[in-house]
């Protein structure tokens, strides 16, 4: 089992804070919305901080089956 960041799109207001906190995993599209990539195990704690910091509670960590 690994972890991944998921975005609740109706809640996301494109602040870009998640990208600032975790640029290795979260890019931004041309409108400033996050583009989430694979989450390495060693960045899970930082991802947790990004979830907590999201001002609209649009970000969460989910378990995904290992490939
Ligand atoms: S911090 Fe939250 S509201 Fe801002 S872009 Fe990321 S997911 Fe969206």
């Amino acid at each position: 089992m690994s972890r991944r960041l998921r975005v609740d799109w109706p809640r996301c207001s494109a602040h870009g804070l998640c990208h600032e906190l975790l640029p290795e995993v979260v890019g931004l599209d041309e409108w400033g919305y996050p583009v989430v990539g694979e989450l390495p195990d060693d960045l899970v704690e930082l991802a947790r901080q990004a979830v907590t910091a999201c001002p609209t509670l649009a970000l969460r960590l989910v378990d995904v089956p290992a490939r």
Side-chain angles (χ1 to χ4, degrees):
M1 196 71 82
S2 62
R3 324 276 331 252
R4 193 177 169 92
L5 280 170
R6 284 272 156 75
V7 180
D8 181 350
W9 295 111
R11 281 178 176 261
C12 177
S13 50
H15 290 279
L17 189 56
C18 50
H19 168 67
E20 286 179 31
L21 291 171
L22 205 55
E24 303 89 341
V25 174
V26 183
L28 294 180
D29 71 10
E30 58 187 300
W31 298 281
Y33 283 92
V35 178
V36 178
E38 297 288 324
L39 179 60
D41 288 343
D42 61 335
L43 292 180
V44 168
E45 195 46 50
L46 260 181
R48 221 183 294 278
Q49 291 174 29
V51 167
T52 304
C54 174
T56 62
L57 306 178
L59 211 53
R60 63 194 173 100
L61 258 182
V62 297
D63 291 326
V64 291
R67 276 191 254 167

